[in-house]
Amino acid sequence: MATALPRPFTSHDKQACLALFDANVPRYFDAVEREEFDAFLTSKPHDYLVLENDGHIIACGGVTWHQNDTIAGLAWGMVAPEHQGAGFGRYLLEARLELIRSRGAASKVVLSTSQHTAGFYKRFGFQVTSTTPDGFGPGLDEVEMKLPL
């Protein structure tokens, strides 16, 4: 398991994060979402984190804020396929939840994920609020979830 703490994303991390995205297509993302992710990274997102292991970015994910920071959203979380199941996703999720709690204003956390990762989030107390079959693309259901704080 990683010993390094997640660090803030910089523009120098963009290509590595796009490579992570590409490595997770088609199981976790539809290829058409890449343009949206690229635009997100280009906007120099605040509260977006990367996780390095042996000098390589192996995970990334962020937090978005809504309604005067009273609702937090999890954005674009992913782990390199060869590192999935090793605890890095949990480590990054816990870092993002800690970031949310440190602000103290959010009453809940929301996210959109697929049927492939909804079970992961359920283990942390997230509840399904809706499911849209093929919502992200063919074979990728959009699962909306929330975690009351």
Side-chain angles (χ1 to χ4, degrees), residues 12-103:
H12 299 291
D13 301 323
K14 182 178 177 182
Q15 291 309 314
C17 290
L18 288 171
L20 280 179
F21 177 91
D22 293 340
N24 280 288
V25 171
R27 174 119 173 108
Y28 299 106
F29 297 102
D30 190 290
V32 299
E33 294 177 278
R34 189 180 200 274
E35 186 176 318
E36 183 182 348
F37 183 50
D38 189 346
F40 174 81
L41 295 175
T42 300
S43 73
K44 298 180 177 76
H46 296 289
D47 298 329
Y48 198 71
L49 305 172
V50 297
L51 181 60
E52 288 183 302
N53 187 44
D54 294 330
H56 300 287
I57 294 174
I58 61 160
C60 55
V63 176
T64 57
W65 301 95
H66 313 277
Q67 297 182 7
N68 296 319
D69 294 353
T70 60
I71 297 175
L74 296 182
W76 296 108
M78 60 196 82
V79 177
E82 64 273 18
H83 293 287
Q84 292 171 5
F88 293 106
R90 175 187 191 99
Y91 189 60
L92 187 59
L93 176 60
E94 288 171 348
R96 293 191 287 167
L97 291 175
E98 178 58 32
L99 184 116
I100 292 165
R101 289 183 179 109
S102 73
R103 291 238 179 128

Side-chain angles (χ1 to χ4, degrees), residues 104-120:
S107 62
K108 69 179 172 179
V109 182
V110 297
L111 72 112
S112 295
T113 192
S114 76
Q115 74 273 24
H116 301 299
T117 53
F120 169 81

